[in-house]
Amino acid sequence: MEKSETMERIHAAYLVPVVVMDEAKRTADTARALTEGGIKVMEITLRTAPALDAIACAVEQCPEMLIGAGTVLNLDQCAGAIDRGAAFIVSPGYDSAIVDYCLERGVAVFPGCVTPTEITAALKAGLDTVKFFPANVYGGIRAIKALAAPFPALRFIPTGGVDLGNVAEYVHPQVFAIGGGWLCERQLVNSGGYDAITRTCRTSVELVKKYRNQ
């Protein structure tokens, strides 16, 4: 998939579920629950042993879903995720090796950047969108608005501490998308609570749509 198409699909979805898979066999059902809730993108975090298998499963069984890898901490994880079909890479911090690897292969990459120095590094590398994590710890939307002034060309994906109660405040022109685990809670995945995941996604989609259209 072309990087430009990946970016367009993420921005159109605007909500990026951060998904923790403890069993790869539950991936397809989880992806379908998200899709039925109106979200066709998922970030599978590499926090568990089955994560890479889950990415491969989702790519094979759910072609309508845009699959990315999150919590990518090193180059081996990055390469492994891309080899299994991940269309985008998300890391909690800025790692130039990961960024360069993705750019060389035309893969969308969103490193975590919360300071002007990190943002400057991302811009120098040619990026225009970064992850802002953990958003609630580093000032939330107030910090994003403050950073948007000196970096008007940059877009943010706030993640961490975002939930149904505050997601609306993150709808902002320089917010490219909003990520979070509230859209697909780990315990619901593990218990097969797919209907609950779908309901949360639908509610979140409608809420964000309302504020994006204002």
Side-chain angles (χ1 to χ4, degrees):
M1 181 180 297
E2 293 292 329
K3 177 183 173 182
S4 59
E5 182 182 349
T6 298
M7 299 290 284
E8 288 173 4
R9 289 181 63 178
I10 292 173
H11 187 53
Y14 208 71
L15 293 172
V16 180
V18 177
V19 183
V20 180
M21 298 302 308
D22 291 300
E23 296 178 281
K25 67 181 182 181
R26 294 185 180 273
T27 308
D29 287 335
T30 302
R32 294 186 188 105
L34 296 173
T35 300
E36 290 177 10
I39 299 176
K40 295 184 179 181
V41 57
M42 65 189 296
E43 173 190 330
I44 298 177
T45 72
L46 302 190
R47 301 177 188 176
T48 63
L52 290 175
D53 289 339
I55 289 172
C57 176
V59 170
E60 178 182 353
Q61 298 186 31
C62 306
E64 75 284 356
M65 177 69 72
L66 181 68
I67 308 298
T71 320
V72 178
L73 300 176
N74 57 59
L75 201 52
D76 286 343
Q77 288 183 328
C78 180
I82 293 173
D83 287 346
R84 286 164 176 79
F88 63 94
I89 298 294
V90 184
S91 57
Y94 185 88
D95 184 321
S96 60
I98 290 174
V99 170
D100 292 346
Y101 187 88
C102 291
L103 292 178
E104 289 168 2
R105 286 156 181 78
V107 175
V109 58
F110 309 111
C113 298
V114 297
T115 68
T117 300
E118 292 167 339
I119 289 170
T120 298
L123 291 172
K124 287 181 68 175
L127 302 181
D128 62 8
T129 307
V130 298
K131 177 178 181 175
F132 189 80
F133 171 84
N136 61 328
V137 173
Y138 285 104
I141 190 61
R142 291 180 60 193
I144 290 173
K145 289 178 178 178
L147 289 165
F151 300 108
L154 191 72
R155 297 174 294 180
F156 299 88
I157 303 177
T159 309
V162 184
D163 55 34
L164 196 56
N166 63 8
V167 63
E169 69 185 50
Y170 283 94
V171 178
H172 182 272
Q174 275 184 254
V175 169
F176 181 72
I178 303 168
W182 92 93
L183 293 160
C184 189
E185 294 184 7
R186 186 176 187 173
Q187 62 267 31
L188 290 177
V189 173
N190 290 335
S191 65
Y194 304 119
D195 289 344
I197 292 172
T198 295
R199 287 194 298 271
T200 297
C201 288
R202 283 177 180 163
T203 301
S204 300
V205 167
E206 290 302 316
L207 185 60
V208 166
K209 185 183 298 184
K210 172 185 174 182
Y211 283 89
R212 287 187 82 182
N213 291 334
Q214 286 184 353

